[in-house]
Amino acid sequence: MNMNDMDGRSIIEEIKRFNGESFFDLGHPLLNGVAESFVKAAGIGAVQAVSREAYYTTIEGFNDEESGVEFGNKKRGRLPRRGESHGKSLEALVKTAGKESFQWGLGAGVYSGVTYGLKEARGGTHDWKNAAIAGALTGASVALTHDEPNNDSIVQSAITGAALSTVVSILNKMF
């Protein structure tokens, strides 16, 4: 394939070209699914973190104490204040995006791996029970990546993950 062919294709055409094929071939469907889920979700996490930081940076530019105009939350504390170097700002952005990429990728990878494992262990059955267990384990694992995890936050995240994934599973069966 030459460069002219690639220039003529849109992103949508590139995505359609995969036709459900795995991005990875690690020798087992479980490993392929976990790796692919991790990479896709990590990318989403990075985009989300960067877009949020861009929003807050923009809002900080609009906040003007002299005129009394104020947008957004001033207590963010993620990007540096006035007088700090752009190097620190970029470092903070990269650190935040990396952490959130890992959290999103971990969540997707754990969920994908647990649902696959439960489906195999239960003879091909995939139902709300698999989703609930996978959601609980995913919620707990993501809670463990927070700065100061505690028992309450881990249990709360496990319950939330179980509830969300169960509802999604039930709704998928209905529609």
Side-chain angles (χ1 to χ4, degrees):
M1 175 179 305
N2 63 32
M3 291 301 287
N4 291 335
D5 291 339
M6 291 180 68
D7 290 340
R9 287 197 305 234
S10 70
I11 293 174
I12 300 297
E13 290 170 333
E14 286 292 323
I15 293 170
K16 287 180 181 179
R17 189 178 75 117
F18 286 108
N19 293 332
E21 295 174 18
S22 181
F23 291 137
F24 300 99
D25 186 11
L26 302 175
H28 193 276
L30 171 64
L31 297 175
N32 294 344
V34 169
E36 187 169 334
S37 297
F38 183 93
V39 169
K40 287 178 180 178
I44 292 168
V47 169
Q48 189 264 345
V50 169
S51 64
R52 184 186 59 245
E53 294 300 332
Y55 165 77
Y56 283 131
T57 301
T58 303
I59 292 303
E60 283 178 357
F62 284 119
N63 286 341
D64 184 2
E65 293 178 14
E66 293 174 8
S67 68
V69 176
E70 184 176 320
F71 296 96
N73 182 4
K74 293 179 93 175
K75 296 181 180 179
R76 261 177 60 254
R78 288 192 183 100
L79 291 179
R81 305 279 183 234
R82 287 184 186 156
E84 291 185 353
S85 71
H86 290 289
K88 287 184 180 179
S89 176
L90 181 60
E91 182 180 334
L93 175 64
V94 169
K95 191 174 186 179
T96 299
K99 180 177 180 181
E100 291 196 25
S101 292
F102 176 75
Q103 288 173 329
W104 282 65
L106 175 69
V110 168
Y111 188 82
S112 175
V114 171
T115 54
Y116 180 89
L118 289 171
K119 183 177 178 182
E120 291 295 311
R122 296 183 66 212
T125 302
H126 181 69
D127 57 8
W128 67 270
K129 296 172 193 171
N130 291 7
I133 293 168
L137 291 173
T138 300
S141 65
V142 170
L144 289 170
T145 66
H146 293 148
D147 291 334
E148 296 179 20
N150 59 48
N151 291 341
D152 291 339
S153 67
I154 294 168
V155 170
Q156 180 183 4
S157 295
I159 291 170
T160 302
L164 286 172
S165 58
T166 301
V167 167
V168 168
S169 177
I170 291 170
L171 289 174
N172 278 338
K173 298 282 186 203
M174 293 173 66
F175 297 104

